[in-house]
Amino acid sequence: MKKLIVTLILASLNASALDMTYIFGGITPHIQRPTGANARPLCNELSQGSGVIYNELHSLRINYDYDWSTGLLVGENSYCEPIWGVTQSYNLYRNRYLEFNATVGFYHFDEEGFDFSEGAYFSRIGSFYFVPIAGVEANISLYKSRDFQISFMNLITPVITNHAIGVTFNY
């Protein structure tokens, strides 16, 4: 998998990018919290028992076409365990203040120490465990100039919703 990440980075560098977005931070509200006997507590809860957590996320997204972008992400899941993954987005609608993207991808997590008794949303190929990502991004522009943009980025999927800040640098 490390070869896959290196290949994606090199392919992104060779593409004629229109802009690059760095996404960081992340607030993730949990609609359903683990409650079984083996359930681990969520880490970094903003308020105990709320199910709303801060999870570290760093993503680099390369927009190589006006409507297409590819992203690489690293960070942590709801249990402060490391994750990494990739995303592909297609722009559905864009104006000066709002953008909607269809986004697909996955993030990998280490299954060691993970409690699957509650029925987690994951897939597995051999010993490779991952969470599929398929949803819509609703991004709101907070500041926009000719050279860069700051956005409130919201990924909404049937499994997870994540809110983060994105800084886009225009070429």
Side-chain angles (χ1 to χ4, degrees):
M1 286 303 142
K2 290 180 183 177
K3 290 179 183 179
L4 173 64
I5 292 174
V6 170
T7 302
L8 288 172
I9 290 172
L10 292 175
S12 296
L13 293 174
N14 287 327
S16 58
L18 297 174
D19 56 51
M20 177 186 71
T21 303
Y22 172 63
I23 303 165
F24 60 93
I27 302 293
T28 305
H30 288 76
I31 295 169
Q32 182 179 358
R33 299 183 57 208
T35 57
N38 298 324
R40 294 177 6 185
L42 299 172
C43 87
N44 296 333
E45 262 188 301
L46 296 180
S47 175
Q48 186 176 7
S50 68
V52 179
I53 65 162
Y54 170 80
N55 55 311
E56 185 178 342
L57 171 71
H58 302 279
S59 179
L60 181 65
R61 179 178 294 170
I62 304 295
N63 298 330
Y64 56 89
D65 183 273
Y66 187 71
D67 289 329
W68 289 95
S69 65
T70 299
L72 303 171
L73 64 95
V74 295
E76 62 188 17
N77 63 15
S78 301
Y79 302 107
C80 290
E81 299 290 334
I83 63 169
W84 63 264
V86 296
T87 59
Q88 182 71 36
S89 296
Y90 178 75
N91 182 261
L92 301 170
Y93 173 80
R94 175 186 297 121
N95 69 26
R96 180 165 170 77
Y97 304 103
L98 187 62
E99 176 181 81
F100 289 104
N101 297 321
T103 301
V104 296
F106 72 89
Y107 67 84
H108 167 73
F109 65 96
D110 184 2
E111 77 283 356
E112 190 172 318
F114 200 86
D115 179 21
F116 294 110
S117 65
E118 291 293 310
Y121 300 101
F122 72 94
S123 296
R124 183 176 79 158
I125 299 174
S127 62
F128 183 77
Y129 286 80
F130 63 96
V131 174
I133 299 170
V136 174
E137 281 185 19
N139 303 328
I140 301 166
S141 178
L142 301 174
Y143 174 80
K144 190 170 191 170
S145 75
R146 197 180 75 148
D147 298 329
F148 74 96
Q149 175 177 333
I150 300 172
S151 301
F152 181 52
M153 306 189 74
N154 305 281
L155 175 64
I156 303 161
T157 75
V159 176
I160 194 166
T161 299
N162 185 274
H163 311 285
I165 297 294
V167 180
T168 303
F169 300 94
N170 299 320
Y171 290 84

